[in-house]
Amino acid sequence: YQRRVRVESAVWWSTILLLKLATFPMIVGSTRIKRKIFANEEDAAGNEGAQVTMTDVVVERRRRAHLNDMENIIPFIGLIFVYAISGAGEAGCVTLVSQIFTAARIVHTIVYIGQVRQPARALAFFVGVICNVYLGVKVLLHMY
């Protein structure tokens, strides 16, 4: 029973994070369209005043926020499932770590796109990193 509850929690929070990842390209794309800034010639064709560039600061900030999410969310999803399946922690811990990580990633995105002064983004980033390290270390200690 406990294992099922742990895995269900991992599924729930991983799905939320995957939806965040899946919707972010729409944010980047709509920003490109709104600003008439495209990465490829064929995308700019037919859009009067459109530019092909990879240096627009607004578009690039959103794109980097998405890349940062991929670099952090994908490892988290693997780690939370290994943690949940291995029994390295209780169901409540799976949920708590998932909630903390998800909140940190949402805050990270808001402060990154909103250009909030440091250390806000760094703190949100490191909360997520700490969650990932915690999960990995707990699994390794539990297994050996």
Side-chain angles (χ1 to χ4, degrees):
Y1 172 77
Q2 276 291 318
R3 183 175 182 177
R4 191 185 101 238
V5 173
R6 290 190 309 265
V7 171
E8 285 175 357
S9 181
V11 167
W12 173 261
W13 291 102
S14 294
T15 302
I16 290 171
L17 290 165
L18 286 169
L19 285 171
K20 182 181 187 308
L21 278 179
T23 57
F24 217 101
M26 290 183 277
I27 294 169
V28 175
S30 65
T31 304
R32 285 188 182 283
I33 291 167
K34 184 177 172 183
R35 296 180 61 82
K36 295 187 176 204
I37 301 293
F38 298 95
N40 304 298
E41 291 285 338
E42 64 273 16
D43 298 332
N47 287 304
E48 189 174 320
Q51 298 176 7
V52 176
T53 181
M54 295 295 288
T55 60
D56 183 81
V57 294
V58 175
V59 171
E60 286 304 302
R61 180 169 287 274
R62 283 163 175 74
R63 194 178 67 76
R64 286 190 313 271
H66 178 59
L67 291 173
N68 193 280
D69 266 353
M70 289 190 293
E71 292 166 354
N72 290 276
I73 290 173
I74 293 168
F76 174 81
I77 290 171
L79 287 166
I80 198 67
F81 274 98
V82 169
Y83 182 79
I85 293 167
S86 72
E90 298 298 318
C93 196
V94 172
T95 300
L96 181 62
V97 173
S98 296
Q99 289 170 334
I100 292 168
F101 182 85
T102 302
R105 293 313 308 167
I106 290 168
V107 169
H108 182 272
T109 298
I110 291 168
V111 299
Y112 202 147
I113 291 174
Q115 298 180 332
V116 176
R117 288 179 29 174
Q118 289 286 22
R121 189 173 85 229
L123 290 172
F125 172 79
F126 282 113
V127 167
V129 168
I130 289 167
C131 289
N132 278 340
V133 170
Y134 171 80
L135 292 171
V137 168
K138 285 292 283 185
V139 167
L140 291 175
L141 292 175
H142 176 73
M143 301 306 290
Y144 296 102

